[in-house]
Amino acid sequence: MTEQAWPWPAGTATGIGSLPGTDIAEAQRVVLGELPGLPHLPELPARGPGADLIGRTGGLLVELPVELYAARWRIAPRPGRDLRRARDLMERDLDQLAEQAEGYAGPVKVQAAGPFTLAASVELPIGGRLLRDPGAVRDLTGSLAEGLRGHVAAVSRRLPGAAVLLQLDEPSLPAVLTGRVPTESGFGTHRPVEPEVARTLLRAVIDAAGVPTVVHCCAPDVPLELIRIAGAVGVALDLGLLTELDPLGEALDAGFGLLAGAAPALPPAAGRAPTSAQVADRVRTLWDRLGFPRRRLAEQVVVTPACGLAGATPAYARAVLAACRDAGRRLVEE
């Protein structure tokens, strides 16, 4: 296994992104309190348009304004009210982060939609997803790359002692690569994007951000090798969706980091959050099945919920984050 240092402390945990509620100050207090080793900038989609993943990332685009039309985000002819709202929410969140995390020195994670999930979600002015137009996808990628460069710089200015870790959310990437994204009519699908094109565009975004980047994909068949070759330092995935262990083992053996989604994002039937021992055991079992030495587990793996927690109750979300934090500490103690 490759010897290297990962951009997070050993035995740490983090959140995927979203949390329930509409109070950003409270959400950031929860994150900073429960995830001291690798806090993240929380997303609160319950605040409405512009706070969702696509609208939030759309607000970061450079010279490519977006707007809401029939409850869907699309490219707009000029900046308008929807774009201002998305940008105002982000500014408010960053200001609150600077206030609550003043003096923080360590890694901090921010999230944004990746270029292919964005292209599969945002529509052209004439209708239809951007994904149908390769030229539009390239333009979107360039705009996103420049926007994320500025976003990382904005976070660094507010937290000068922190080291930014970027998470690109790409739940649509497997469907984009295999031609499973439906057209607007629902009767067809968009042509698959060639893996080489996907690697090139994903790398352009990662290189432009200029900070260590992980790709989050809460879908089956995560294209691990493509993500690794594109320049990501790790992948975030739901352990419950893993069907093939060999590709993950090969990536980890090559030095890839893993944000292991080991705790359910929604309460199980019993309604209780898993214990830290249960979460740690799930990560440990996977590691042992892959055949890697335990001494590297706590360094290479970050414990996370399986996905965002926007659909959970505030009490469950806090309990899951605490269980992930303590599970990470358990893995260090072995």
Side-chain angles (χ1 to χ4, degrees):
M1 186 179 295
T2 301
E3 295 286 341
Q4 73 172 74
W6 288 274
W8 48 71
T12 196
T14 193
I16 290 300
S18 66
L19 290 176
T22 59
D23 185 342
I24 188 61
E26 174 59 20
Q28 293 194 4
R29 280 193 289 270
V30 169
V31 167
L32 290 166
E34 304 297 346
L35 304 169
L38 181 53
H40 68 284
L41 182 64
E43 303 159 359
L44 303 180
R47 290 185 293 180
D52 59 295
L53 175 65
I54 301 303
R56 194 170 173 84
T57 306
L60 300 176
L61 297 176
V62 173
E63 296 183 356
L64 202 62
V66 295
E67 66 181 0
L68 273 175
Y69 178 76
R72 295 189 295 270
W73 288 99
R74 71 175 183 182
I75 302 301
R78 64 187 63 84
R81 177 181 58 188
D82 299 324
L83 181 59
R84 286 194 299 272
R85 173 177 167 79
R87 289 178 172 171
D88 286 348
L89 285 169
M90 181 65 80
E91 282 295 309
R92 194 180 311 165
D93 292 0
L94 293 180
D95 288 343
Q96 186 65 227
L97 178 66
E99 179 180 333
Q100 295 206 37
E102 183 178 5
Y104 174 78
V108 61
K109 183 168 69 69
V110 297
Q111 305 81 221
F116 295 102
T117 292
L118 208 55
S121 304
V122 176
E123 298 193 349
L124 294 159
I126 58 173
R129 293 180 172 93
L130 264 77
L131 189 62
R132 73 188 241 186
D133 183 340
V137 174
R138 287 193 298 272
D139 291 344
L140 176 71
T141 299
S143 176
L144 177 62
E146 192 61 30
L148 286 174
R149 190 202 314 270
H151 183 51
V152 167
V155 176
S156 297
R157 283 195 301 272
R158 286 170 169 84
L159 296 179
V164 178
L165 174 67
L166 173 65
Q167 174 183 303
L168 293 177
D169 289 306
E170 281 285 17
S172 298
L173 183 57
V176 166
L177 293 170
T178 54
R180 291 183 286 114
V181 177
T183 59
E184 54 270 25
S185 68
F187 295 113
T189 57
H190 291 281
R191 287 178 297 178
V193 173
E194 293 296 325
E196 183 58 37
V197 172
R199 281 194 297 269
T200 299
L201 296 182
L202 191 58
R203 177 173 281 280
V205 174
I206 292 171
D207 288 348
V211 294
T213 300
V214 299
V215 174
H216 168 233
C217 187
C218 52
D221 304 319
V222 179
L224 292 164
E225 186 67 4
L226 185 153
I227 292 169
R228 187 179 70 82
I229 294 176
V233 300
V235 66
L237 48 76
D238 179 351
L239 298 188
L241 297 178
L242 275 177
T243 56
E244 297 286 338
L245 292 186
D246 286 348
L248 178 60
E250 291 169 4
L252 294 174
D253 193 48
F256 215 40
L258 173 63
L259 275 65
L266 294 174
R272 297 177 183 173
T275 66
S276 61
Q278 291 170 326
V279 175
D281 187 60
R282 192 172 186 197
V283 176
R284 193 185 300 113
T285 298
L286 171 68
W287 196 257
D288 290 345
R289 287 179 65 193
L290 291 169
F292 294 134
R294 288 273 185 95
R295 63 183 177 81
R296 300 302 297 270
L297 171 56
E299 297 176 5
Q300 197 164 356
V301 176
V302 175
V303 184
T304 76
C307 203
L309 296 169
T313 65
Y316 181 81
R318 185 190 285 267
V320 162
L321 295 181
C324 289
R325 177 200 64 219
D326 291 343
R329 292 173 178 171
R330 283 174 176 269
L331 297 178
V332 170
E333 293 167 359
E334 296 185 346

